[in-house]
Each structure stands twice: as C-alpha cells, then as structure tokens.
C-alpha cells in the first residue's frame, strides 16, 4: 500500500500542482489603455461638409461591403477577390500559424506525460565479472514519466502564454486589415478602369470630330477660303487625339492587369465596366460617427493594441526571471532483469526529482532583459498612438475631399457645358467666315480638356467614397 501511495504521489504531484497554480496571477504590470492622442471630434471648416447620421444608424465598420457597394458586377468581383487573392490567403494562413504557436506556448502550463519502454543488453568480460565468468546482463523497463515540467509559481510561463495569445489576436486583426484594403483596391481598380475606358472613348470621339474638321478645312483650303495655317492647325488636333488614344489604350490594359492581380484570377469580361457614367450610383454614402467610436475599432489600431498588450505581458516574464525556477521530473513504471518478470510483483519502480534554480549572478542579463521588455512596451505604446493619429488624419483627409467634391463636380459640369457652347458658336462663326480656325481650335481643346477633367472629377468622388468607407473601418465584415 505504501508503494502505491508513493508511486501515485510521484506521478500525480506535477499535475496537481499545475492545477492548483492555474489561477495564479502573473507579474506583468496591469494593462491600461493609453488615451487617444487626437481631438474628440472631426475637424470642421469650409472644407468639411456636415454629415449627420440618422438615429440608430449602423457604424461604418458594421456595414457589410455587400451593402455599401450597390453595383452587382462590382460585388461579384469583390467576392472573387476574397476567394482568390493571395495576400488575403497569406493573412489567413498567418492566423493559423499564430494559433498553433499560441497552442504550443499554452501547453507549457501543463505537464507532458510520455510513455517509454527500454531494453538494455550488456556483456561483462570475465575479468570484470563478480563470478569470474563472462556474463550477459539484460534489463527491461516500461513506464510513464513527466520530464522538465516547470511549476509556474511566478507566472513566467503564463506571461509567455498571454503574449502568444495577444499575438494571435493581433494577427486576426491584421487579416481584417488586409481584407479591408483588398475590398478597397478592387473597388478603386474597377472605377479607374471604367474612367480610363471612358477617357479612351472620348479620345476616339474627339478624333472622329477632329478628322471631320480637318476634311472640312482641307476642302475650304482647296477652294481658296482657308489658309495653309488652318490646315496645319487642324492636323495638330488630329495628331493630339491619336496620341491620347494610344496613351489611354495602354492605361486600360494596365488597369485590367492591376484588377486581375487583386482579384487573383482573370476578371470575367462580363463584369468589366465600359464607362464611368455607368457606375455613378454604384456606392452608398456613409457618415463618419465620432472619433472615439471609429478609430479604436479599426482593425489596424486593434492590431497595434494587441501588440502593446503582448509587450506588456513580456514584462511579466522578464520579472519572473529574477525568482527561483522549480522544475519537476518524475516517472513510474516497472523494471526487471528478465522480460518475463517485467510485470511481476516487486518490479515497481518510481522516480521523483525536483530541481530548484535560483539566479545569483548573471552579469546583469536578467536586468537587461527586463529593460528590453519595458522599452519594447514603450515602443508599442508610441506605435499604438501613432496608429491612432494616422487613422485620424486619413479620415480627416477623406472628409475634406468628400466635403468639397460635389462642388467641384458642379463647377466642372458647368465649365464643360460652357465650353461646349463656346465650341459650337466658334465653329459656326468659322464656317461663316467670321472667325479664324484658331478660335475653333482653342474652343475644341478647351472642351476636350473640360470633358477629361469631368471624368477625372467623377472618379475622384467615387474613389473618395471608397476611401472614406475604408478608413472608417468598413469592408472587414
């Protein structure tokens, strides 16, 4: 009975102590979230349009991308990207890796029990044998054992486990950041392609108009009405349109390549937009909410805070290194000189070997490790605060652009209409011989430039809406 009690104690003591110490606190300093180093409200002034949400309106981070992007073709492209994009796939695999690392570190809180079986054969020569004759010795053993289990009395292992947990949670937030960025990239790439296709079509339409003007001018020249200068000026307009056609043809191809890259596979032709005016209502508008509600829930800021918490936990592990470390080794099993007698009465064997290690002199290594952990925590604080400030600036910039872009579009539309009328009048005056072709050329160039700028301004408006949705944390759900 005494043998059984000893064996049970030798084998079960590490597990029992582990369970007793499982609720022990660590020596890490108590975490306190740093104050956000940004104003409590968004900037205001002439550049910022007041954007008030209705009662009970969802935060932008809670609006799924399927609700924000109205265009069905764009939705399908985003869905393809979320399925095929390699950056997002790597981010998801990083989560799996961090989860496994956390499970490895967490397992250190519990004893590792191993089963073992061994056989030892040894020949002893006659000169060394007690009997004076050569002997062959045999030993057999089987057992269960706990090897090098650390009693976490001062929370060192638990602090390391907490650090691994925070790293795992930060990796999950990093994946959300990648997804938000990916959704935004697909949308902006889609809109840019639509704008450049519209630029290309405008250049082709302008070329047709310029060629018609050139033929008219040539006919007038042959009839002695127009001069050679008019012919050369008309030719420059045709050549300018040809240059733009070649340039926008290349840009469209590059836009398609960029879109294919972020989607992760060739984008189906049926989903590619033909012109930007088809997508002017592809997005819904959003309201920013309060900085405290928005910024602290952005995944990149949550990731920075997770890294800060992990650095804080590392301080606990560095502090615990100053205190004794208790390691237990134990085993229980059977041993015999013959295989047949391995499990017979009297073959029980057990071993219990606690070890205590107390740092006395380490030439300042532990103190330096603690200093490193504390500085790492301070660096993480600064990075967390910088992440908040950067996020605030991104939202403020997007709000400033969003607050003025509608006025820009209205003014650009008015300018385009005015230059179109100016071109019509100058062309009519030229055909009646009142004005020179130079006035027609100037009006035509102004109209072409105004039309190009109108397309670019519309693209800016849509891209700003996407950016605002992104910087407010949308697209991660």
């Amino acid at each position: 009975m005494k043998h059984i009690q000893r064996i049970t104690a030798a084998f079960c003591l590490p597990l029992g102590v582990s369970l007793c110490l499982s609720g022990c606190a660590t020596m890490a300093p108590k975490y306190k979230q740093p104050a956000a180093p940004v104003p409590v409200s968004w900037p205001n002034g002439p550049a910022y349009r007041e954007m008030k949400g209705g009662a009970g309106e969802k935060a932008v981070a809670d609006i799924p991308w399927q609700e924000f992007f109205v265009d069905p073709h764009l939705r399908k492209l985003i869905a393809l990207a979320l399925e095929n994009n390699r950056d997002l796939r790597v981010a998801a695999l990083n989560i799996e890796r961090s989860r496994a690392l956390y499970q490895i570190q967490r397992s250190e809180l519990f004893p590792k029990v191993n089963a073992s079986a061994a056989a030892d054969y040894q020949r002893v020569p006659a000169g060394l044998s007690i009997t004076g004759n050569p002997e062959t010795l045999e030993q057999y053993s089987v057992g269960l054992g706990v090897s090098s289990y650390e009693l976490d009395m001062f929370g060192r292992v638990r602090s390391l486990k907490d650090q691994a947990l925070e790293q795992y949670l930060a990796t999950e937030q990093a994946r959300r950041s990648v997804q938000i960025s990916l959704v935004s990239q697909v949308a902006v790439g889609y809109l840019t392609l639509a704008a450049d296709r519209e630029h290309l079509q405008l250049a082709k339409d302008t070329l047709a108009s310029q060629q018609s003007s050139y033929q008219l001018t040539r006919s007038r020249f042959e009839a002695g009405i127009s001069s050679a200068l008019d012919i050369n000026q008309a030719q420059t307009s045709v050549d300018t349109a040809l240059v733009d056609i070649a340039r926008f043809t290349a840009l469209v191809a590059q836009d398609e390549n960029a879109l294919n890259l972020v989607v992760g596979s060739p984008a189906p032709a049926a989903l590619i937009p033909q012109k930007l005016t088809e997508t002017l209502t592809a997005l819904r508008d959003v309201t920013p909410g309060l900085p405290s509600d928005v910024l602290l829930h952005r995944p990149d800021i949550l990731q920075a805070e997770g890294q800060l918490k992990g650095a804080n936990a590392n301080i606990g592990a560095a502090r615990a290194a100053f205190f004794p470390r208790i390691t237990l080794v134990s085993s229980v099993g059977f041993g015999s000189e013959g295989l047949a007698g391995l499990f017979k009465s009297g073959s029980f064997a057990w071993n219990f070997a606690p070890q205590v290690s107390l740092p006395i002199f380490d030439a300042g290594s532990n103190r330096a490790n603690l200093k490193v952990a504390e500085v790492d925590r301070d660096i993480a604080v600064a990075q967390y605060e910088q992440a908040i400030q950067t996020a605030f600036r991104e939202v403020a910039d997007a709000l400033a652009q969003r607050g003025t872009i509608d006025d820009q579009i209205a003014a650009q539309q008015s300018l385009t209409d005015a230059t179109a009328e100016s071109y019509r009048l100058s062309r009519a005056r030229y055909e009646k011989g009142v004005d020179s072709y130079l006035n027609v050329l100037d009006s035509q160039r102004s109209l072409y430039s105004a039309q190009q700028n109108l397309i670019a301004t519309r693209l800016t408006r849509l891209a700003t809406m996407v950016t605002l949705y992104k910087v407010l944390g949308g697209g991660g759900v």
Side-chain angles (χ1 to χ4, degrees), residues 314-315 317-323 359-376:
N314 270 340
I315 295 178
R319 286 177 175 178
F322 287 89
F323 294 88
I360 296 178
F361 176 74
D362 60 6
S365 175
N366 284 339
R367 190 170 299 278
N369 284 332
L370 177 58
K371 183 64 176 178
V372 169
E374 291 174 341
V375 171
D376 285 344

Side-chain angles (χ1 to χ4, degrees), residues 235-310:
Q235 183 64 49
T236 60
S237 298
V238 172
D239 293 339
T240 300
L242 287 172
V243 170
D244 283 348
I245 288 175
R247 180 165 62 92
F248 284 114
T249 299
L251 286 176
V252 167
Q254 292 172 346
D255 293 340
E256 291 174 349
N257 294 335
L259 189 60
N260 290 338
L261 176 62
V262 295
V263 171
S265 62
L271 302 181
I272 301 300
Q274 297 301 316
K275 53 185 179 179
L276 188 65
T277 51
E278 296 176 352
T279 64
L280 295 181
T281 58
L283 315 175
R284 60 173 285 186
D285 217 338
V286 293
T287 54
L290 297 176
S292 58
D293 296 332
V294 173
L295 299 182
L296 298 185
H297 292 86
R298 272 185 34 158
D300 57 334
I301 294 178
L302 292 176
Q303 178 187 0
E305 186 177 15
Q307 293 169 344
L308 170 57
K309 291 179 179 179

Side-chain angles (χ1 to χ4, degrees), residues 31-318:
Y31 173 75
K32 183 178 180 181
Q33 186 182 53
V38 294
V40 296
S41 60
W42 302 116
N44 53 48
Y48 301 95
R49 178 170 64 91
E50 187 174 2
M51 301 174 67
K52 293 183 178 180
E57 185 173 346
K58 288 193 296 186
V60 175
D62 296 330
I63 298 176
W65 59 265
Q66 296 91 337
E67 294 182 12
F68 177 76
F69 298 103
V70 180
D71 186 88
H73 291 170
L74 180 53
R75 285 180 183 174
K76 292 179 180 178
L77 283 178
I78 293 175
L80 284 174
L82 293 178
E83 181 180 351
N84 298 321
N85 184 267
R86 270 51 178 186
D87 287 338
L88 187 60
R89 191 172 299 176
V90 169
L93 292 174
N94 281 334
I95 293 178
E96 297 298 321
R97 181 178 183 275
S98 295
R99 181 187 294 118
L101 289 174
Y102 165 64
Q103 291 172 344
I104 291 172
Q105 190 60 58
R106 183 176 180 272
S107 69
E108 296 295 326
L109 292 171
F110 304 94
K112 293 181 174 60
V113 180
N114 301 311
S116 63
D120 184 21
Y121 304 94
Q122 181 180 6
R123 183 182 186 280
V124 180
L128 298 178
S129 173
I130 298 177
T131 62
N133 297 317
E135 292 182 316
T136 298
L137 303 180
E138 299 179 10
Q139 290 184 348
Y140 301 91
S141 64
V142 293
L144 296 176
V146 175
S147 60
S148 299
Y149 170 65
E150 179 180 346
L151 295 181
D152 194 29
M153 298 184 64
F154 301 100
R156 189 189 75 88
V157 178
R158 187 166 296 277
S159 292
L160 294 175
K161 184 268 298 182
D162 291 341
Q163 190 276 335
L165 174 61
E166 295 300 336
Q167 184 63 43
Y168 161 57
L169 297 177
T171 307
E172 166 61 25
Q173 298 302 329
R175 186 207 62 81
R176 288 186 58 210
S177 293
V178 172
Q179 177 172 323
I180 289 174
S181 178
L182 175 60
V183 169
S184 173
Q185 285 179 337
V186 174
V188 172
Y190 178 87
L191 297 171
T192 301
L193 175 57
D196 283 342
R197 281 196 164 191
E198 190 162 339
H199 277 299
L200 178 59
Q201 186 59 48
L202 175 62
K204 291 180 178 179
D205 294 341
T206 301
L207 175 62
S209 175
Q210 297 288 7
Q211 288 175 333
S212 176
S213 297
Y214 175 79
Q215 294 298 331
L216 175 63
T217 304
R218 188 172 186 84
S219 298
R220 291 169 62 88
F221 172 74
E222 292 174 350
I225 303 175
S226 298
S227 65
L229 178 61
D230 292 341
I231 286 288
N232 290 328
Q233 288 175 338
Q235 183 64 49
T236 60
S237 298
V238 172
D239 293 339
T240 300
L242 287 172
V243 170
D244 283 348
I245 288 175
R247 180 165 62 92
F248 284 114
T249 299
L251 286 176
V252 167
Q254 292 172 346
D255 293 340
E256 291 174 349
N257 294 335
L259 189 60
N260 290 338
L261 176 62
V262 295
V263 171
S265 62
L271 302 181
I272 301 300
Q274 297 301 316
K275 53 185 179 179
L276 188 65
T277 51
E278 296 176 352
T279 64
L280 295 181
T281 58
L283 315 175
R284 60 173 285 186
D285 217 338
V286 293
T287 54
L290 297 176
S292 58
D293 296 332
V294 173
L295 299 182
L296 298 185
H297 292 86
R298 272 185 34 158
D300 57 334
I301 294 178
L302 292 176
Q303 178 187 0
E305 186 177 15
Q307 293 169 344
L308 170 57
K309 291 179 179 179
N312 194 71
N314 270 340
I315 295 178

